Amino acid sequence: MSIRVVLVDDQEMIRMGFKMVLNSRPEIDVVAEAGDGDEVLDVLAQHEADVVLMDVRMPRLNGIEATRLIARLPDPPKVLILTTFDLDDYAYEALRAGASGFLLKDAPLEELAAAIGHVHDGDAVVAPSTTKRLLEHFTRPEPRDQEAAALVHEPVRDERTFEELTPREHEVLRQVARGLSNAEIASELVLSEGTVKVHVGRVLMKLGLRDRVQAVVLAYETGLVAPGGR
């Protein structure tokens, strides 16, 4: 079955462009569009979707608030944020609100299509270099507070949370927080890629996290990993 995609952007020409190129891919089907974050909730009530491509700056309801509301829906679609370099701060807040990743609007078609597929499969889609640049600029090593926890709708965690992890899972989480892919982690730790995937899955399960993005945010905000990768 095709991956059902909803496009959310306040500029019609941008939506038309994305729709044209995405519908050229046999594995993707753009089922609906929305002109702002407010409209997307009505669209999702009428159309079944697997992935929402979400702009950030839009009238009435921006992409961050829309993502937060989508995350509260029963069995919500995945949200992939489309952004530009000068909106990285908004993209970070959207990740905390429940998005599964973000991508630059000028990404090549192959990269965009692959990102949609990865998000649909439950993976996070944040380019390693962009992950590190973003988190080093916007995260702080001190433990998250109640306000930060509210942004991602989960309880405050402290260092004791990580006691549930084995030493190997601890190390895998650190590598994930550095923005490394499974293949890169496998090379770094001299493991098979399949083994790394199993470890990542166990980390997410034990910490009650939705995906790798939440794992990265948690690792930085609890101080497990400091900005700069230390």
Side-chain angles (χ1 to χ4, degrees):
M1 294 181 61
S2 297
I3 301 173
R4 298 164 295 188
V5 172
V6 169
L7 301 175
V8 187
D9 197 294
D10 61 318
Q11 299 185 50
E12 184 177 2
M13 292 299 293
I14 290 181
R15 296 200 310 271
M16 289 177 60
F18 276 120
K19 183 176 182 178
M20 180 178 66
V21 297
L22 290 176
N23 277 340
S24 69
R25 306 283 301 201
E27 75 275 21
I28 296 174
D29 180 21
V30 178
V31 297
E33 305 172 36
D36 62 43
D38 210 15
E39 184 182 342
V40 69
L41 296 178
D42 293 332
V43 168
L44 290 176
Q46 302 173 34
H47 300 271
E48 291 188 11
D50 302 305
V51 177
V52 175
L53 292 185
M54 180 78 73
D55 189 20
V56 177
R57 284 186 172 177
M58 295 180 292
R60 295 198 295 176
L61 191 67
N62 63 45
I64 298 171
E65 293 303 322
T67 297
R68 185 174 288 113
L69 293 176
I70 289 173
R72 295 174 180 172
L73 296 174
D75 193 21
K78 304 292 185 180
V79 176
L80 178 59
I81 298 295
L82 297 176
T83 186
T84 54
F85 279 119
D86 62 334
L87 292 180
D88 275 352
D89 51 341
Y90 294 101
Y92 175 61
E93 291 303 326
L95 294 181
R96 299 175 72 183
S100 293
F102 67 92
L103 199 66
L104 298 178
K105 282 188 174 181
D106 60 357
L109 173 58
E110 289 296 327
E111 184 177 345
L112 176 59
I116 292 172
H118 289 313
V119 165
H120 177 255
D121 292 340
D123 294 328
V125 177
V126 185
S129 60
T130 308
T131 302
K132 288 179 282 189
R133 183 167 58 248
L134 181 71
L135 290 173
E136 287 172 12
H137 189 72
F138 289 104
T139 60
R140 297 294 181 269
E142 63 268 12
R144 63 166 58 174
D145 54 19
Q146 293 288 345
E147 180 181 0
L151 285 172
V152 289
H153 311 295
E154 55 186 73
V156 175
R157 292 179 170 88
D158 57 31
E159 285 294 335
R160 289 172 297 178
T161 298
F162 300 114
E163 293 178 358
E164 302 175 24
L165 304 182
T166 67
R168 177 62 79 184
E169 290 165 353
H170 221 107
E171 184 58 30
V172 168
L173 175 58
R174 290 179 184 276
Q175 303 305 319
V176 169
R178 290 176 55 203
L180 300 188
S181 66
N182 285 352
E184 291 169 329
I185 295 173
S187 176
E188 184 87 7
L189 301 182
V190 195
L191 299 170
S192 71
E193 191 170 345
T195 299
V196 171
K197 186 174 182 179
V198 170
H199 283 313
V200 171
R202 287 175 177 168
V203 168
L204 299 181
M205 179 185 67
K206 288 182 177 182
L207 298 181
L209 302 173
R210 184 188 63 249
D211 53 34
R212 295 168 74 102
V213 169
Q214 285 195 339
V216 171
V217 172
L218 177 63
Y220 274 82
E221 290 190 334
T222 56
L224 180 66
V225 177
R230 296 182 300 276

